[in-house]
Amino acid sequence: MAADMRTEDYPHEIDEQLTGFDSSVSSVKTMLEKLMSMPRNDLLQKLDPLDQAKLDLMSAYTLNSLFWMYLVTQGVNPREHGIKQELERIRTYMNRVKEITDKKKAARLDKGAAARFLRNALYDPEEKESRKRTASKKAANTPADTPQSKRPKQS
């Protein structure tokens, strides 16, 4: 009979949405229990500083979001509450961390490799052969026994 009273408290049209909400709350509860089962210091020691910052920001954002939802259930407009500014502050820090991780992931230019790539990409074997022929013709036209003229010294 208690189950019948619970279904009479709300319209049947939102029954599916409430079931989904209940399963979401259960999954959040399960995740929080896993997170809380391990001592925080042990968890932080296993992470590098950037991951520690991500964990701290995620925790703060999650708690503030849950408080936002609590305010909504109590009939308080969270947009007029201080929680909105706190969520915005956390979001700015999350964006900063994202920028840092994007900079780490960004491709770095290897100038030597780029120069080799361009040189090989622009390589034309016919042009190289014509240069060799021109150089050999110049060498053939210049007599080997005659010394080449030197520039006069300037005094």
Side-chain angles (χ1 to χ4, degrees), residues 2-147:
D4 292 338
M5 288 184 115
R6 289 181 67 197
T7 58
E8 292 177 8
D9 290 347
Y10 59 88
H12 294 287
E13 294 85 26
I14 62 169
D15 188 41
E16 186 177 313
Q17 293 172 338
L18 286 176
T19 304
F21 178 74
D22 185 48
S23 66
S24 297
V25 168
S26 297
S27 66
V28 168
K29 182 179 177 184
T30 304
M31 294 299 278
L32 285 174
E33 286 173 351
K34 286 181 186 177
L35 187 63
M36 301 303 280
S37 67
M38 180 182 269
R40 187 160 178 84
N41 289 338
D42 293 345
L43 184 63
L44 290 177
Q45 287 177 353
K46 295 178 183 177
L47 301 173
D48 66 334
L50 189 60
D51 288 334
Q52 289 177 6
K54 286 180 182 179
L55 178 66
D56 289 340
L57 288 170
M58 183 268 314
S59 300
Y61 194 81
T62 302
L63 288 173
N64 284 299
S65 296
L66 289 172
F67 187 69
W68 176 286
M69 288 185 260
Y70 171 76
L71 290 175
V72 169
T73 62
Q74 298 302 310
V76 177
N77 185 1
R79 289 183 180 89
E80 297 171 359
H81 195 273
I83 195 70
K84 181 179 180 188
Q85 288 80 19
E86 183 66 17
L87 284 169
E88 288 174 2
R89 185 181 71 83
I90 295 169
R91 267 192 228 116
T92 58
Y93 287 119
M94 291 173 92
N95 288 334
R96 286 184 187 175
V97 169
K98 186 177 186 301
E99 288 174 6
I100 292 169
T101 55
D102 289 346
K103 284 181 183 178
K104 282 187 173 182
K105 290 180 184 178
R108 305 213 190 281
L109 179 64
D110 183 0
K111 291 181 182 180
R116 289 189 303 272
F117 178 77
L118 288 174
R119 182 182 65 233
N120 293 332
L122 299 174
Y123 177 74
D124 186 10
E126 293 177 6
E127 183 178 316
K128 188 174 181 180
E129 288 297 322
S130 67
R131 285 185 187 170
K132 283 184 181 178
R133 279 187 236 134
T134 307
S136 64
K137 285 181 184 178
K138 283 183 181 178
N141 291 340
T142 307
D145 52 290
T146 59

